Amino acid sequence: MSVRVNNFSMTVATINGSGSQSANNILMRSIFRMGIPVSGKNLFPSNIAGLPTWFSIRVSDQGFVAREALSDIVVAMNKDTVLDDRALVKPDGLFIYNSSLKVESELLSGLKNVIAVDFNELAKDVSPSIQLKKLLVNMVYVGLLAEILQIPESALSETIEHQFKGKESVYTINKKAVEVGRNYFKEQLSNQSFPYKVEKRDLNKNKILIDGNTSGALGFVYGGCSFASWYPITPSSSLAESFEMYCNELRTQKNGEKNFAMVQAEDELGAISMVAGAGWAGARAMTTTSGPGISLMSEAIGLMYFAEIPGVVWDVQRMGPSTGLPTRTSQGDLIAAARSSHGDTRHPLLLPATPKECFEFASLALDLSERAQTPVFVMSDLDLGMNFWMSEPFEYPTEKFDRGKVLYKEDLDKIGKFARYADVDGDGIPYRTLPGTHHDLSAYFTRGTGHTPEGKYSEKSDNYQALMNRLDRKWETLKTLVPEPEIKLNPQAKVGVIYFGSTDLVIEELQVLLKNSTAKSKLDYSKLSFMRLKAYPFTALVREFMAQHEKLIVIEQNQHGQMTELLRSEFPDLAPRIFVETNCDGLPLCPQILSNRLLERNFHVG
């Protein structure tokens, strides 16, 4: 029997609110401590407690982090989902279930490798508390898995100690539960061989485990954001909570004075309206939300666009329409964000792919919004935002904040005149002053109705048309300010693959699968070019890449190909070349499934 060393995946099926997430995180972090690349995905329900939840851990020396369609090891702790859980295990995989659930034997028929363990019984003697026993059951299966995978006791103990730092009694009782699981293996299963194990590596040097929401929050702290307003909504709430936590830690003076303001608004419209007020007043301001929040913010976003007020909206996308699936991932808000509000509005979108880019794009979004005096959207998603990923450490930003075209007293003294909405430089971006500037020329009216270059109210058609033409010039300027795409060009390729956001986390593995595939295809998929979009509007390089290929496949996690729609609209002459590959089931993309779909493509090239 060949042993899979540092190359397997496992899924634990439990009930939401049972305390399993802490146990699963301990298991994942223990493997990470061993220098082995690892990632974790938590698939949880939208209610607080009682419904099924699944936590998957991917272990890969190659650094692959995407979801696998099936798992090598499945631990079933929820009687209601046993049928679903058994469908998750590979044909030769290991299925471990909690025998105290009294699962009917016919539900397990056909499985090759099954282990029944009465985890409830094992947890009985760990603590006299009934409530604690329910939680400690999870640490028992962690101990069992640690023995099966040969995780050293030191790695697990260090992780538990770190998890419960300062809580000696909690650490002790959780460690005891792990030992119960380990001892059960030694007494009952040590005579069996298991084809999965972990071996210490040194592949995680200088790496961290972090989620995208925490990364974005830190990016806002170091990017100079001084005001945040929000209304709770899954899956973005943890970003706002992390921002406040880090600000309290890093931006509070010894005398207790805070260098930031944080407001939980009455609703999403209130939150974005506060951002508009703060941005108008000169603060670097942001709000975080998800798709339904974007809908409610639409009116104020239109005001900010037309009155040219900076501000950042961080959208952690989830499934829709309507309430949709609040705890499932998606890339379905692109059109809503790009065109938010009525009339002829267009908003820049930043598309982070990793936690590191979440950190960097937070600061970039603040710079861009002030530079262009317009709302900027950062388009994350639940998978990137709430799950744990390995990342390079973040670099402390050393560049000065880009406040854009702000006129101060000394500037007004020099130029002797000021018109708030005039296009002085021809790039469509006007100059602004901040409230409180001590100069007679600094005052102006901020308007969401038609206005002249001086900011005076006007309903004249020529004034309105001139204003819209200037905003179009600003849009062209934005194409030179947003990040360029990341391109891997194959000179022999006739097909280009376009993707964005968290899809980047599956592309490396996808390339390997396509290259090694023995499936027959009408196209040589080992000869592909790849382009990862980092922003909308599209830069000149995007068009250049598209024009170099006869066919283009856009990979999206939505139903109707929203990025494809934006590309076709921007480049109508290239539209016939564009094909879309969508995924809209709420689950993170799976490289194996995506590879099979692409190999089934049968269009002719050349």
Side-chain angles (χ1 to χ4, degrees):
M1 179 175 57
S2 61
V3 178
R4 302 187 64 175
V5 180
N6 298 346
N7 181 27
F8 58 87
S9 61
M10 50 186 165
T11 296
V12 180
T14 57
I15 298 173
N16 199 39
S18 64
S20 60
Q21 187 171 354
S22 294
N24 297 326
N25 281 330
I26 286 171
L27 184 61
M28 176 185 63
R29 289 184 178 278
S30 297
I31 297 171
F32 178 77
R33 279 179 179 270
M34 296 175 65
I36 306 166
V38 66
S39 61
K41 294 183 185 296
N42 187 24
L43 188 66
F44 60 101
S46 57
N47 71 344
I48 295 174
L51 285 183
T53 182
W54 292 267
F55 194 99
S56 295
I57 298 174
R58 179 84 184 269
V59 181
S60 170
D61 269 347
Q62 293 175 280
F64 295 149
V65 296
R67 176 178 72 92
E68 286 202 295
L70 299 175
S71 294
D72 297 285
I73 303 171
V74 171
V75 180
M77 303 291 289
N78 182 1
K79 184 176 182 179
D80 294 336
T81 63
V82 170
L83 269 177
D84 293 329
D85 302 336
R86 61 161 292 163
L88 296 175
V89 68
K90 293 179 181 178
D92 59 346
L94 175 61
F95 190 81
I96 304 170
Y97 76 98
N98 189 353
S99 61
S100 68
L101 301 177
K102 309 300 181 186
V103 176
E104 293 82 358
S105 58
E106 57 266 25
L107 293 180
L108 305 177
S109 62
L111 292 173
K112 286 186 178 181
N113 306 305
V114 180
I115 297 178
V117 181
D118 193 335
F119 290 105
N120 290 31
E121 182 66 28
L122 291 174
K124 270 187 177 181
D125 297 330
V126 179
S127 169
S129 167
I130 296 176
Q131 183 60 37
L132 275 180
K133 286 177 186 176
K134 294 179 180 179
L135 302 176
L136 292 170
V137 163
N138 303 298
M139 295 304 292
V140 176
Y141 72 66
V142 167
L144 178 67
L145 287 171
E147 282 295 316
I148 290 174
L149 301 175
Q150 301 178 40
I151 299 175
E153 186 176 344
S154 58
L156 203 54
S157 295
E158 288 169 5
T159 307
I160 297 171
E161 185 177 9
H162 182 268
Q163 178 86 6
F164 302 112
K165 190 175 182 179
K167 302 176 181 178
E168 184 63 32
S169 60
V170 179
Y171 162 75
T172 301
I173 198 167
N174 276 274
K175 194 168 182 298
K176 183 179 179 182
V178 168
E179 289 171 354
V180 168
R182 283 188 180 274
N183 290 335
Y184 178 86
F185 175 91
K186 293 171 184 177
E187 295 168 5
Q188 304 294 330
L189 302 172
S190 59
N191 61 335
Q192 297 187 36
S193 297
F194 297 94
Y196 317 105
K197 67 175 291 190
V198 292
E199 280 185 359
K200 188 175 176 61
R201 296 284 190 265
D202 192 22
L203 300 174
N204 297 342
K205 192 173 183 180
N206 298 324
K207 295 282 182 69
I208 58 175
L209 268 180
I210 195 168
D211 62 89
N213 283 357
T214 301
S215 306
L218 280 168
F220 279 123
V221 172
Y222 286 99
C225 180
S226 57
F227 178 84
S229 56
W230 67 299
Y231 185 79
I233 182 171
T234 302
S236 72
S237 295
S238 63
L239 193 151
E241 292 162 351
S242 294
F243 176 76
E244 184 172 24
M245 178 187 72
Y246 285 119
C247 280
N248 281 327
E249 179 182 343
L250 301 172
R251 292 170 64 177
T252 302
Q253 299 183 23
K254 291 181 179 179
N255 62 4
E257 183 178 338
K258 298 182 182 296
N259 296 327
F260 71 98
M262 183 95 183
V263 180
Q264 181 175 322
E266 66 275 17
D267 53 34
E268 286 88 349
L269 179 57
I272 190 62
S273 296
M274 293 177 191
V275 168
W280 172 85
R284 301 195 117 194
M286 72 89 173
T287 186
T288 180
T289 189
S290 192
I294 298 294
S295 301
L296 296 172
M297 293 177 179
S298 183
E299 183 179 2
I301 289 170
L303 169 65
M304 293 175 68
Y305 173 84
F306 198 54
E308 300 180 73
I309 298 171
V312 174
V313 179
W314 190 288
D315 180 9
V316 188
Q317 298 169 90
R318 74 188 205 192
M319 295 293 287
S322 190
T323 303
L325 299 177
T327 59
R328 298 293 185 267
T329 195
S330 173
Q331 293 177 329
D333 294 347
L334 300 176
I335 299 296
R339 298 285 190 261
S340 185
S341 191
H342 70 283
D344 293 306
T345 52
R346 290 186 291 187
H347 308 295
L349 314 178
L350 298 180
L351 309 166
T354 63
K356 193 171 190 290
E357 282 193 343
C358 286
F359 176 81
E360 294 167 348
F361 281 15
S363 180
L364 175 61
L366 292 166
D367 281 347
L368 187 62
S369 69
E370 292 206 288
R371 178 67 184 171
Q373 297 172 37
T374 195
V376 171
F377 289 80
V378 184
M379 309 301 290
S380 179
D381 59 52
L382 185 146
D383 187 28
L384 176 59
M386 295 195 70
N387 288 324
F388 283 103
W389 306 99
M390 291 192 308
S391 173
E392 301 291 335
F394 306 152
E395 296 179 9
Y396 187 91
T398 56
E399 298 292 327
K400 290 184 177 180
F401 301 149
D402 186 349
R403 304 304 307 271
K405 296 182 177 183
V406 179
L407 296 175
Y408 299 97
K409 181 181 182 302
E410 54 272 22
D411 301 312
L412 294 169
D413 284 336
K414 289 179 183 178
I415 62 177
K417 60 181 179 179
F418 169 59
R420 170 64 181 97
Y421 297 108
D423 188 3
V424 177
D425 301 323
D427 59 2
I429 303 174
Y431 286 82
R432 63 176 174 140
T433 58
L434 302 180
T437 302
H438 296 291
H439 199 286
D440 292 342
L441 296 176
S442 68
Y444 65 90
F445 280 105
T446 301
R447 297 187 183 277
T449 51
H451 48 267
T452 67
E454 293 74 29
K456 296 179 180 179
Y457 178 80
S458 172
E459 292 189 13
K460 290 184 178 181
S461 299
D462 56 348
N463 281 337
Y464 190 84
Q465 187 64 65
L467 171 54
M468 296 305 293
N469 290 343
R470 179 178 63 76
L471 291 174
D472 283 347
R473 291 196 296 276
K474 181 197 285 191
W475 186 252
E476 293 302 311
T477 300
L478 272 163
K479 294 178 181 179
T480 68
L481 299 177
V482 297
E484 294 282 9
E486 181 181 281
I487 294 175
K488 297 177 182 177
L489 189 64
N490 183 343
Q492 297 178 314
K494 294 183 179 181
V495 175
V497 176
I498 300 173
Y499 60 100
F500 58 95
S502 62
T503 303
D504 182 55
L505 299 167
V506 311
I507 291 298
E508 183 179 355
E509 186 172 0
L510 174 68
Q511 289 174 298
V512 171
L513 292 171
L514 291 174
K515 185 176 181 179
N516 296 335
S517 174
T518 57
K520 291 183 179 180
S521 176
K522 293 187 178 181
L523 185 65
D524 183 357
Y525 276 94
S526 66
K527 295 178 180 178
L528 291 172
S529 292
F530 291 84
M531 176 171 67
R532 176 167 69 90
L533 300 171
K534 292 186 179 182
Y536 172 77
F538 307 120
T539 70
L541 276 181
V542 175
R543 179 182 181 84
E544 183 179 321
F545 175 90
M546 294 173 66
Q548 288 174 316
H549 298 85
E550 295 181 23
K551 299 291 181 180
L552 300 155
I553 301 174
V554 185
I555 301 173
E556 306 198 37
Q557 296 183 63
N558 55 60
Q559 182 70 11
H560 298 129
Q562 295 186 24
M563 183 62 77
T564 300
E565 185 177 331
L566 292 174
L567 287 165
R568 286 173 175 163
S569 175
E570 183 73 15
F571 309 113
D573 57 316
L574 300 175
R577 306 183 186 191
I578 304 174
F579 296 77
V580 62
E581 185 64 55
T582 61
N583 184 80
C584 191
D585 59 5
L587 299 175
L589 276 175
C590 170
Q592 294 84 6
I593 295 174
L594 184 57
S595 171
N596 291 336
R597 287 180 183 173
L598 293 180
L599 288 168
E600 291 170 2
R601 289 279 184 179
N602 58 7
F603 54 69
H604 180 69
V605 176

